[in-house]
Amino acid sequence: MRWPLRYQILIPMVGIMVCAIVGVTLLHAWLATHQIKVQVRDQFRQIAHTLNDATFPLTVAVLNQTKGLSGADFVLLGAEDQVLSSTRPDFTPAPVQGTPPSWDELQISDVIEAGDAPFFHSVVKLQPRIPGAGVRYLHIYYPVRQYREAIANAVYPSLIAGSIALIVVAILATVIAARVTRPLQRLDRKVVQIARGDFQPMILPERDDEIRDLSTSINQMAELLGDYEDEVKRSERLKTLGQLRGAIAHQLRNAVTGCRIALDLYLRKSPEYQEDETLQVANRQLCMIEQYLQSFLENKGGHFSSFEPVCLNELVARVVSLVEPTARHVGIALKDETGSEPLVVEGDAESLEQLISNLALNAIEAAVAVQEAQGISGEVCVRLFPTGEESVTLEVSDTGPGPESSIVNKMFEPLVTAKRDGTGLGLFVAREIVQNHGGEIRWERREERTCFMVELPLVQTEKACVETIDR
């Protein structure tokens, strides 16, 4: 059976408080009742003592005056049980049996019916104060109703206070239980959301207590699970990519090789086109694609057994010459601001060429999108400059809108793209190449431009610039 935490807190707390309040109330009621009894007894002992020591006759007027002070009725009998005086002529006391107690032993205990109501009845023996006077017996009648009213007046305030205390305790216990269980219910709902794959952090409670600590731990757990899920998805993408790359790359390499052979045969048959720049660019592009696919099939994956000095100036110039026809075709201005100072890094020329090509083509596509949407001229700028004495920065900037917010935090992951016809591999491959060269890649928005920056370590300045092989 389910036993909610609210009831686990509420029932024991209320039970303990109820027992305590009821116990205190009953004790107070008993003490009040006992005190009333003692007060009534002492009052009548004092009256009996006063009347016993009186030197004046105990007439009806005296007994009535005593009744007004005490609320009791009195009947005075002589030695022969004759009525000497009485506050209730209709009362006929029974003959005295045995020896009545003296005034200091008087008790209010027996209840009899006298007239039309019940009374507490006691008899006290009065000692004669005048020589020759006979023994007298004073019958005292105290109304039971008046006695009960006195007890009720003493007990009811305690009972009312105890009842109010019970209600207050029940309300406070309910409120406290709700304040404790409500955050736990929110935690329970959040855990269910995490189990369903929602790893968004929950809002922390304002009170700095154990519940807040538990909420912080749950947020940390959700963050770790989210990262783990992203890593699993990334691994699955890479696994899928690995399964597909062999077949796709093989088919593409065959097609590219066929195109390059056909282009070579055409140039041999038509010598007049040997110096045509467009055909030369196409030939170089086909050679570069063939090299990429060959590396892909060999499972090179961006890892290299050895590096060699590579002059980035010449590499950037070569890539710019390859992508410049594409930029010109779509109306994008391509600027080369690499400078004349040779900047040499240790690396693989083919992979670095692929890196620069991916960034430049992505920049051209982004600039085209703004040009078509807003009708303004697009521009792509490639810069190469040293950053300190030990590193060089390659910056590719464009006038495009920048990455969409939905992929900003994961655009370097495989198969992540916002383009309708994109593959989601360009930036992933770029990051892999940069990391394998000991560098860093980042991006930022600066003056309405999107800038991708690649920082690579420089080689010793005394090494000569090594020209890359013309492929």
Side-chain angles (χ1 to χ4, degrees):
M1 182 180 67
R2 178 175 173 81
W3 185 237
L5 184 61
R6 174 180 297 180
Y7 297 148
Q8 295 182 39
I9 298 174
L10 180 61
I11 292 178
M13 182 183 297
V14 172
I16 293 173
M17 295 303 297
V18 166
C19 293
I21 292 174
V22 169
V24 171
T25 302
L26 293 179
L27 178 61
H28 188 272
W30 181 83
L31 292 175
T33 302
H34 180 71
Q35 185 178 8
I36 292 297
K37 289 181 179 180
V38 172
Q39 287 178 353
V40 172
R41 184 200 65 186
D42 293 345
Q43 180 183 13
F44 283 101
R45 282 184 179 181
Q46 184 64 34
I47 292 173
H49 175 64
T50 301
L51 296 179
N52 183 64
D53 294 341
T55 58
F56 48 83
L58 300 180
T59 62
V60 174
V62 171
L63 294 181
N64 282 328
Q65 186 176 6
T66 305
K67 175 183 178 180
L69 296 174
S70 63
D73 286 298
F74 302 93
V75 177
L76 183 64
L77 297 182
E80 303 297 330
D81 293 331
Q82 72 277 19
V83 177
L84 301 179
S85 59
S86 174
T87 59
R88 290 290 297 266
D90 57 328
F91 284 6
T92 304
V96 177
Q97 302 293 331
T99 302
S102 60
W103 66 268
D104 57 346
E105 297 177 349
L106 179 64
Q107 298 291 335
I108 304 296
S109 59
D110 297 334
V111 179
I112 63 173
E113 291 289 335
D116 57 353
F119 290 86
F120 288 106
H121 176 250
S122 292
V123 181
V124 63
K125 181 180 178 180
L126 301 180
Q127 299 296 330
R129 294 297 179 183
I130 301 175
V135 177
R136 296 172 298 173
Y137 299 99
L138 180 64
H139 290 257
I140 303 175
Y141 298 87
Y142 188 76
V144 174
R145 177 183 59 82
Q146 186 173 344
Y147 174 76
R148 290 176 178 173
E149 288 178 354
I151 292 179
N153 291 333
V155 172
Y156 283 169
S158 299
L159 296 178
I160 293 174
S163 301
I164 294 175
L166 286 176
I167 295 174
V168 172
V169 167
I171 294 174
L172 290 177
T174 303
V175 172
I176 293 173
R179 285 174 65 88
V180 173
T181 56
R182 193 177 299 114
L184 293 178
Q185 290 173 351
R186 288 198 294 267
L187 292 177
D188 178 69
R189 290 194 295 268
K190 182 57 185 176
V191 171
V192 173
Q193 292 176 355
I194 292 175
R196 293 175 179 173
D198 182 4
F199 303 114
Q200 294 296 322
M202 67 181 298
I203 300 176
L204 296 178
E206 294 182 359
R207 295 193 305 272
D208 189 5
D209 53 11
E210 288 77 3
I211 299 295
R212 183 184 178 92
D213 296 339
L214 183 57
S215 301
T216 302
S217 300
I218 289 180
N219 282 345
Q220 293 174 351
M221 179 187 68
E223 182 180 0
L224 291 176
L225 289 175
D227 295 341
Y228 177 73
E229 183 185 47
D230 293 340
E231 184 64 26
V232 170
K233 290 180 178 179
R234 180 176 179 274
S235 299
E236 290 295 327
R237 293 191 188 106
L238 292 176
K239 182 179 179 181
T240 302
L241 182 61
Q243 293 173 348
L244 295 176
R245 68 179 181 182
I248 296 177
H250 180 73
Q251 295 298 328
L252 289 176
R253 186 191 63 173
N254 292 340
V256 170
T257 302
C259 290
R260 186 176 60 82
I261 293 175
L263 183 59
D264 289 340
L265 293 175
Y266 175 76
L267 293 176
R268 292 178 184 177
K269 292 180 179 180
S270 305
E272 66 274 15
Y273 295 108
Q274 289 286 346
E275 301 301 326
D276 186 83
E277 180 183 0
T278 303
L279 294 179
Q280 290 179 0
V281 171
N283 192 33
R284 288 199 300 269
Q285 287 278 17
L286 290 173
C287 290
M288 184 176 63
I289 294 174
E290 189 177 14
Q291 291 168 4
Y292 294 161
L293 293 174
Q294 184 63 36
S295 298
F296 209 46
L297 286 173
E298 293 175 356
N299 198 24
K300 200 171 183 180
H303 299 277
F304 315 102
S305 59
S306 62
F307 284 161
E308 60 181 5
V310 178
C311 183
L312 283 183
N313 306 68
E314 297 181 3
L315 206 58
V316 170
R318 183 181 298 277
V319 172
V320 169
S321 67
L322 289 176
V323 300
E324 198 277 333
T326 303
R328 186 170 61 249
H329 177 70
V330 294
I332 300 299
L334 180 60
K335 294 184 178 181
D336 181 5
E337 299 181 0
T338 56
S340 58
E341 179 185 359
L343 299 171
V344 182
V345 298
E346 289 279 355
D348 180 80
E350 294 180 5
S351 297
L352 292 174
E353 186 176 355
Q354 183 181 5
L355 164 68
I356 301 169
S357 177
N358 284 345
L359 295 178
L361 290 175
N362 283 346
I364 292 173
E365 292 178 1
V368 169
V370 171
Q371 182 172 271
E372 293 177 350
Q374 303 179 9
I376 60 177
S377 299
E379 180 182 278
V380 174
C381 181
V382 182
R383 298 177 59 214
L384 188 65
F385 53 91
T387 50
E389 298 181 354
E390 299 182 353
S391 63
V392 59
T393 297
L394 169 70
E395 180 183 284
V396 180
S397 62
D398 62 76
T399 55
E404 294 186 6
S405 58
S406 60
I407 64 167
V408 164
N409 296 327
K410 53 184 178 180
M411 62 181 177
F412 290 103
E413 298 296 327
L415 306 179
V416 174
T417 181
K419 301 176 184 177
R420 185 175 58 183
D421 55 350
T423 62
L425 295 176
L427 291 177
F428 166 69
V429 172
R431 187 187 65 173
E432 291 293 316
I433 294 173
V434 172
Q435 290 178 348
N436 287 318
H437 282 76
E440 179 186 359
I441 183 171
R442 63 186 185 277
W443 78 279
E444 64 180 28
R445 286 287 293 177
R446 185 196 313 147
E447 299 178 356
E448 301 299 325
R449 298 177 71 93
T450 304
C451 304
F452 279 85
M453 292 155 288
V454 176
E455 186 173 348
L456 297 172
L458 283 169
V459 300
Q460 297 297 328
T461 56
E462 62 267 16
K463 290 186 178 181
C465 178
V466 179
E467 294 187 0
T468 57
I469 301 174
D470 189 1
R471 308 206 189 279

